Amino acid sequence: MSHIPADVADTKPIEQIHPDNLPTKDPDHVAIALETLVKRSEEHDDVKNSMHAPMHQLASLPLVHRLLPGLKDLATQYHVGNYVIVRATGERIFESMPIYPRLGMHLLFYGGTQIKLLHNRSVESVLRDLSVRQGKVYDSPESVKSIPSFIETYSIGLDELEQPDITKYKSFNEFFYRKMKAGARPVANAADPNGFCSPADCRLTVYQTVTAATQFWIKGNRFTIPGLLGVAPKSEEALMFENGSVAICRLAPQDYHRFHSPIDGVVGDTTDINGQYYTVNPQAVNEPGFDVFTENKRSVLYMTHLQSGAPIAFVAIGAMLVGSIAWTNGGKQGQAVKRGEELGYFAYGGSTIVVLFPKGLVEFDDDLRKNSAVPIETLVKVGDSLGRSVLPTGGFDAAAVVRSADASGGEV
């Protein structure tokens, strides 16, 4: 996303996504526009002429705004995107949305997934096909031509990278899940055994309970912890995290897309869950009609926190145009990892990580909790402080947690 200073963004309204904001009443037109943008990513070096056209620059991009009647007017009348707080400075900034999630949301908001589109395809099948095609485009050797414009569009710095020479990357995707050089993401309070850290460069919201998360942020009508984990409501996994604490980490396209351990812990099992490719933009997550986190493709890693013995669920969630979720150290069952060590990465696209903690384990940092209650996301980096464990060493009693959750009969 492209940053706009808050005082500039405040000069015109922020669009609340609604199907009537675009004059087209035929969702086929939006699906065709998205397919055209994917095709252009093969043909054009400049990503701003395809999926990454920033909404606030649309008036100067006729190759893009002519795809749909009303797109230029929409971008002129509104700012399209989201406010975030930069943790390092406390500054409130506005991140302008690229065109592809805006059009993806139009398909969903137009009338839901029941609408059949071109060639009798559903919204889900269109988004899935587009995601697979875009992944193939950016895996190809020819895709390296788009790396310079991607860097320019998102002002991506190269000095932190393990490989700063962009000519060394063999595809766009290889640059997308680029590695940082050693020391680029130090862990805050590394000597504190009770500390937790951010697992990603991301826009972060945190909630002490799932109930609070569904009140302020995750508005999907059918969101539950069993649904997120893909387990039965009365399973041990579900009961362990009943009304537990939640950290939600949203990665934008320009972000460093490797993710890291938020804990000193031990790697456990992973479970892959097939699903959809909906956008994870906040306006979709905040919409009661869509259950983005429990519907999207995702992979669940279970870990054990060394200090307390508590389980942690690390859920890597794909999104619109995400090609794959890959585990590196997170795929090595039984391996001990320290805070800030790499667990895996996302291939091309936006994406989200949800970290679940058992109830009563973590106390999140004050600034993160206050921002999340607004609600507004906080822009953080891998290794930034997330919070602290409030349990003594070895203080987690799994059997007691399961008994208590089972007795409550909840499914939060």
Side-chain angles (χ1 to χ4, degrees), residues 89-106:
T89 63
E91 180 186 8
R92 185 178 71 116
I93 62 172
F94 185 81
E95 292 190 318
S96 181
M97 191 184 300
I99 190 172
Y100 75 86
R102 175 60 187 88
L103 295 184
M105 278 191 284
H106 186 78

Side-chain angles (χ1 to χ4, degrees), residues 135-148 163-179 258:
K136 289 180 178 178
V137 170
Y138 283 152
D139 276 336
S140 70
E142 295 77 18
S143 64
V144 294
K145 68 182 185 300
S146 295
I147 294 175
Q163 177 50 269
D165 183 353
I166 63 173
T167 66
K168 301 295 186 183
Y169 293 94
K170 297 181 176 62
S171 69
F172 180 93
N173 232 341
E174 193 171 280
F175 177 78
F176 186 79
Y177 50 77
R178 56 199 176 271
K179 291 185 176 183
R258 290 179 181 262

Side-chain angles (χ1 to χ4, degrees), residues 274-349:
N274 290 326
Q276 308 306 329
Y277 292 83
Y278 300 143
T279 174
V280 292
N281 188 274
Q283 291 206 38
V285 176
N286 301 160
E287 172 63 30
F290 306 131
D291 293 277
V292 174
F293 294 156
T294 55
E295 293 289 338
N296 274 21
K297 172 184 177 180
R298 56 203 184 278
S299 188
V300 183
L301 167 64
Y302 294 97
M303 305 178 70
T304 301
H305 182 223
L306 281 178
Q307 184 269 345
S308 66
I312 306 292
F314 188 105
V315 187
I317 303 173
M320 186 178 176
L321 302 187
V322 166
S324 62
I325 301 165
W327 296 105
T328 52
N329 290 328
K332 300 174 182 177
Q333 187 173 0
Q335 178 163 314
V337 291
K338 294 182 179 180
R339 271 172 289 159
E341 287 192 15
E342 183 183 305
L343 293 178
Y345 62 87
F346 293 104
Y348 176 74

Side-chain angles (χ1 to χ4, degrees), residues 45-54 57-58 61 64 149 152-153:
D45 295 358
D46 191 346
V47 298
K48 285 191 289 191
N49 281 317
S50 57
M51 287 293 185
H52 292 277
Q57 296 179 10
L58 223 55
L61 298 169
V64 178
S149 67
E152 180 184 5
T153 297

Side-chain angles (χ1 to χ4, degrees), residues 22-34:
L22 286 176
T24 178
K25 299 302 178 185
D26 187 348
D28 274 348
H29 293 166
V30 178
I32 291 169
L34 282 166

Side-chain angles (χ1 to χ4, degrees), residues 26-36 38 107 112-133:
D26 187 348
D28 274 348
H29 293 166
V30 178
I32 291 169
L34 282 166
E35 290 176 339
T36 301
V38 170
L107 287 182
T113 57
Q114 74 276 10
I115 288 182
K116 293 294 183 181
L117 305 179
L118 191 67
H119 305 308
N120 203 37
R121 290 182 297 166
S122 65
V123 169
E124 292 96 337
S125 65
V126 167
L127 295 178
R128 184 183 306 110
D129 291 348
L130 288 170
S131 298
V132 171
R133 284 177 54 196

Side-chain angles (χ1 to χ4, degrees), residues 123-384:
V123 169
E124 292 96 337
S125 65
V126 167
L127 295 178
R128 184 183 306 110
D129 291 348
L130 288 170
S131 298
V132 171
R133 284 177 54 196
Q134 188 69 78
K136 289 180 178 178
V137 170
Y138 283 152
D139 276 336
S140 70
E142 295 77 18
S143 64
V144 294
K145 68 182 185 300
S146 295
I147 294 175
S149 67
F150 186 74
I151 292 170
E152 180 184 5
T153 297
Y154 291 113
S155 302
I156 296 172
L158 303 178
D159 57 322
E160 297 181 312
L161 303 189
E162 182 178 278
Q163 177 50 269
D165 183 353
I166 63 173
T167 66
K168 301 295 186 183
Y169 293 94
K170 297 181 176 62
S171 69
F172 180 93
N173 232 341
E174 193 171 280
F175 177 78
F176 186 79
Y177 50 77
R178 56 199 176 271
K179 291 185 176 183
M180 292 288 177
K181 65 184 179 184
R185 292 293 184 269
V187 174
N189 307 316
D192 181 0
N194 294 303
F196 297 112
C197 74
S198 171
D201 285 14
C202 63
R203 289 127 204 83
L204 179 66
T205 49
V206 299
Y207 297 98
Q208 291 295 153
T209 65
V210 175
T211 299
T214 55
Q215 177 185 352
F216 289 102
W217 196 253
I218 308 172
K219 299 297 182 66
N221 293 329
R222 297 183 300 278
F223 177 83
T224 65
I225 292 304
L228 177 67
L229 298 177
V231 298
K234 291 293 185 180
S235 66
E236 183 174 336
E237 294 90 346
L239 295 174
M240 198 71 70
F241 296 105
E242 182 184 351
N243 209 22
S245 302
V246 187
I248 304 162
C249 313
R250 179 173 65 90
L251 287 71
Q254 73 271 27
D255 289 327
Y256 166 62
H257 264 69
R258 290 179 181 262
F259 43 81
H260 297 245
S261 179
I263 66 170
D264 296 327
V266 178
V267 172
D269 295 333
T270 56
T271 303
D272 294 330
I273 304 170
N274 290 326
Q276 308 306 329
Y277 292 83
Y278 300 143
T279 174
V280 292
N281 188 274
Q283 291 206 38
V285 176
N286 301 160
E287 172 63 30
F290 306 131
D291 293 277
V292 174
F293 294 156
T294 55
E295 293 289 338
N296 274 21
K297 172 184 177 180
R298 56 203 184 278
S299 188
V300 183
L301 167 64
Y302 294 97
M303 305 178 70
T304 301
H305 182 223
L306 281 178
Q307 184 269 345
S308 66
I312 306 292
F314 188 105
V315 187
I317 303 173
M320 186 178 176
L321 302 187
V322 166
S324 62
I325 301 165
W327 296 105
T328 52
N329 290 328
K332 300 174 182 177
Q333 187 173 0
Q335 178 163 314
V337 291
K338 294 182 179 180
R339 271 172 289 159
E341 287 192 15
E342 183 183 305
L343 293 178
Y345 62 87
F346 293 104
Y348 176 74
S351 39
T352 288
I353 295 158
V354 175
V355 185
L356 298 178
F357 303 87
K359 187 177 180 179
L361 170 64
V362 61
E363 182 174 315
F364 292 121
D365 291 345
D366 284 345
D367 63 325
L368 299 178
R369 289 191 288 110
K370 289 175 181 177
N371 290 344
S372 300
V374 172
I376 187 171
E377 296 167 305
T378 305
L379 195 61
V380 300
K381 293 184 177 181
V382 170
D384 285 357

